Amino acid sequence: GENVEQHPSTLSVQEGDSAVIKCTYSDSASNYFPWYKQELGKRPQLIIDIRSNVGEKKDQRIAVTLNKTAKHFSLHITETQPEDSAVYFCAANPRGSQGNLIFGKGTKLSVKP
Amino acid sequence: SAVISQKPSRDICQRGTSLTIQCQVDSQVTMMFWYRQQPGQSLTLIATANQGSEATYESGFVIDKFPISRPNLTFSTLTVSNLSPEDSSIYLCSSSTGNVYEQYFGPGTRLTVT
């Protein structure tokens, strides 16, 4: 079955620096890769996603890149701010299924002012 | 995105009892999902609940322990049966609306079993 590996598990950056979180997946049939941000005590929030027919997608300070050949995708946050501090989860849809998501273990991002 | 609510937001239950969690979506959706998030951990899919058919359970989750109902296109319930302390977790429902790939989560139900 699908396996999603996420690195690093923790990441600490200075305000204004960039942060990069990487994920790999095992199922070549996966074609949808979302990223969620979860603040302490709150629900996961979808912040950006990418489909397998696209190599990169940007939304203001956030971007996601996908390398289908290598089966990895990354989240890039530029000009980090303290409010970016949270746990970030990547996910992939096994067997290209509509709806089912397998999540990575999460990355705790701390942005120091 | 749809607005998703869950009840209760938290509960403390005794070992051996059951808890039923309700999930309500403000629009009709085809697919609803139930996840478990153990303290400090990632999200694990329990089952997919489609209206008009039996829920589909993921490996490691069984209907006797986690019975699910999906009576209509806006509502689902998850029951966690025969509770043990290991069931202490946050349970979240989610749904896809319109774009069938995008999933949005409810606020979660924090269950503590004593």
Side-chain angles (χ1 to χ4, degrees):
Chain A
E2 175 70 283
N3 185 43
V4 178
E5 300 276 347
Q6 183 171 347
H7 299 280
S9 56
T10 61
L11 180 59
S12 182
V13 299
Q14 288 293 135
E15 182 177 0
D17 287 351
S18 295
V20 180
I21 303 170
K22 299 181 179 181
C23 288
T24 60
Y25 61 99
S26 60
D27 185 352
S28 56
S30 295
N31 58 9
Y32 175 67
F33 308 94
W35 286 89
Y36 287 85
K37 175 184 180 182
Q38 188 175 33
E39 296 175 87
L40 190 64
K42 297 192 176 180
R43 74 186 80 187
Q45 277 186 293
L46 178 65
I47 56 171
I48 196 168
D49 57 13
I50 192 167
R51 299 194 193 179
S52 59
N53 59 346
V54 175
E56 183 176 3
K57 183 177 179 181
K58 285 183 180 180
D59 184 1
Q60 300 183 343
R61 297 186 296 108
I62 295 173
V64 57
T65 58
L66 171 65
N67 183 325
K68 282 181 59 179
T69 303
K71 294 184 194 167
H72 67 69
F73 56 111
S74 300
L75 177 70
H76 305 253
I77 307 174
T78 58
E79 300 173 25
T80 53
Q81 301 167 3
E83 51 266 37
D84 294 328
S85 296
V87 178
Y88 291 81
F89 293 99
C90 64
N93 62 333
R95 305 176 300 279
S97 58
Q98 292 181 347
N100 294 21
L101 291 176
I102 302 298
F103 283 80
K105 292 190 182 299
T107 297
K108 183 175 182 179
L109 173 64
S110 300
V111 180
K112 299 180 179 178
Chain B
S1 63
V3 176
I4 304 173
S5 59
Q6 282 184 237
K7 286 196 293 189
S9 58
R10 59 178 62 224
D11 207 341
I12 300 172
C13 299
Q14 291 195 332
R15 184 193 299 256
T17 63
S18 299
L19 176 69
T20 296
I21 302 167
Q22 300 178 8
C23 180
Q24 180 77 51
V25 187
D26 70 344
S27 59
Q28 293 185 340
V29 296
T30 304
M31 305 176 84
M32 295 179 73
F33 308 90
W34 287 98
Y35 287 83
R36 182 174 73 184
Q37 187 173 30
Q38 295 180 305
Q41 303 295 315
S42 185
L43 294 90
T44 301
L45 180 63
I46 297 171
T48 301
N50 293 330
Q51 195 268 338
S53 62
E54 295 288 327
T56 303
Y57 289 83
E58 297 299 305
S59 176
F61 298 96
V62 295
I63 188 171
D64 289 348
K65 176 69 175 177
F66 299 99
I68 287 171
S69 77
R70 182 78 199 275
N72 58 50
L73 290 173
T74 64
F75 187 79
S76 178
T77 67
L78 169 74
T79 298
V80 189
S81 303
N82 190 25
L83 290 168
S84 68
E86 294 72 40
D87 295 321
S88 296
S89 280
I90 297 172
Y91 293 85
L92 300 113
C93 68
S94 70
S95 72
S96 298
T97 60
N99 180 323
V100 295
Y101 287 95
E102 294 179 3
Q103 267 190 56
Y104 297 92
F105 285 86
T109 296
R110 182 181 294 273
L111 169 63
T112 302
V113 182
T114 60

